[in-house]
Amino acid sequence: MTSIVIPAHNEARVIGRLLDSLLAGSSEDDTDIVVVCNGCTDDTARIAAARGPRVRVVEIPVPSKHAALRAGDDHAHGFPRVYVDADVVIADADVRALIEPLNDGTSGILATAPERHIPLAGCAWRVRAYYQVWQRLPAVREGLFGRGVIAVSKAGHARIAALPPLMADDLAASLAFAPQERLVVGGARVVVHPPRTWPDLIKRRIRAAVSTAQVEEQRSAEEASARTSTADLRAILRGEPKLFAGVVVFLAAAVVARRGATKAIRAQDFGTWLRDESSRQS
């Protein structure tokens, strides 16, 4: 049986759409779904429990994604195990596509993630321009992070279970596997809702800058990083000169985010989660 662990902190506005998508077309024997409500002060737990006995709700008092993931592991029954952020949308068929390579004992694949779909309608033009560039970056295309979904085999789970508490848990999980051990599954798709406004995008980018710095503190300089290089941006422009304005916007966001992250990094503040609410609008 495949176990799906969903950490959720005050996700009443979006948890229902994810659960409905996962439950549609699947049977009780297919998946074991655990929603871990961590430090919730809204109706997340009630909404999740209303989906019926196929969804088990665990509540913990501390608002911590890391603690929620570990609590989910304590209550989950099977492998492969799929970790899903509460604010994305993925269907049961996509989950089945994700776990297929993990059940192949000869492939050497320990972790998988779906292709991401980012609906940009309704977003400010600078947000759209930013994501048009971001989605073309090699590390973004090839890494498992930024998708809100990671599936692991039992051996892959042992690898990520040993990781320390990190804000960028998905980036750390992606970097925990060598390229030949991880796979972005073309037959699986997740909808990742972007921030709609420039200020909310900057919140996300500051959080990403701070969390990337924290991950890099745990790794040697020789190890892979998800940072964007000027060579990456030049390659994008050579291939698609029409994205020049998008690259300018991307660089502007990077500069603003780096300035915003400096204070937190100097103070070693890796616990303040800058959350954008615009991506959670219906």
Side-chain angles (χ1 to χ4, degrees):
M1 176 180 287
T2 299
S3 285
I4 300 174
V5 174
I6 305 171
H9 171 67
N10 288 345
E11 299 287 10
R13 285 190 285 179
V14 296
I15 190 67
R17 71 186 182 191
L18 170 61
L19 293 174
D20 290 343
S21 183
L22 288 171
L23 292 169
S26 65
S27 69
E28 186 175 353
D29 295 333
D30 291 336
T31 52
D32 161 45
I33 302 175
V34 182
V35 177
V36 185
C37 300
N38 57 103
C40 289
T41 57
D42 65 359
D43 288 336
T44 301
R46 180 187 62 78
I47 293 170
R51 263 56 189 181
R54 291 187 54 203
V55 177
R56 292 187 291 131
V57 177
V58 176
E59 296 188 70
I60 61 174
V62 58
S64 163
K65 185 177 181 181
H66 182 80
L69 292 171
R70 299 291 76 83
D73 279 336
D74 290 341
H75 288 82
H77 294 321
F79 288 98
R81 192 155 297 170
V82 187
Y83 300 97
V84 183
D85 289 352
D87 60 339
V88 304
V89 181
I90 187 169
D92 174 72
D94 298 297
V95 171
R96 290 199 301 269
L98 281 182
I99 66 174
E100 186 175 346
L102 301 174
N103 287 325
D104 181 358
T106 64
S107 69
I109 299 298
L110 303 180
T112 62
E115 295 279 2
R116 63 171 76 79
H117 171 63
I118 302 178
L120 294 173
C123 294
W125 75 267
R126 286 186 294 179
V127 175
R128 296 196 304 272
Y130 176 90
Y131 277 103
Q132 286 169 356
V133 173
W134 183 80
Q135 292 184 86
R136 288 166 165 81
L137 296 171
V140 173
R141 294 197 314 268
E142 299 163 9
L144 305 185
F145 62 89
R147 303 171 192 273
V149 180
I150 290 181
V152 293
S153 65
K154 192 170 185 177
H157 173 265
R159 184 87 56 88
I160 64 173
L163 294 172
L166 295 168
M167 186 185 296
D169 57 285
D170 59 343
L171 173 59
S174 181
L175 294 176
F177 301 100
Q180 66 272 18
E181 296 177 322
R182 64 180 189 247
L183 176 68
V184 176
V185 179
R189 190 182 88 148
V190 62
V191 178
V192 180
H193 291 274
R196 296 187 180 185
T197 70
W198 179 254
D200 276 324
L201 173 64
I202 295 303
K203 285 181 183 179
R204 281 204 186 188
R205 300 324 305 161
I206 291 174
R207 188 177 77 214
V210 172
S211 57
T212 297
Q214 184 190 25
V215 168
E216 290 177 347
E217 287 188 356
Q218 306 291 323
R219 308 180 67 85
S220 68
E222 293 76 19
E223 290 182 289
S225 172
R227 289 193 181 274
T228 302
S229 69
T230 55
D232 292 331
L233 297 177
R234 285 197 298 267
I236 289 173
L237 283 177
R238 281 196 301 270
E240 299 182 79
K242 65 181 181 180
L243 291 176
F244 178 79
V247 169
V248 172
V249 170
F250 183 92
L251 290 171
V255 170
V256 174
R258 189 173 297 116
R259 289 174 179 169
T262 298
K263 182 178 180 180
I265 294 171
R266 286 176 178 169
Q268 296 288 285
D269 176 10
F270 299 121
T272 300
W273 187 275
L274 294 178
R275 167 165 152 159
D276 74 275
E277 297 295 340
S278 64
S279 61
R280 291 169 169 82
Q281 296 174 10
S282 58

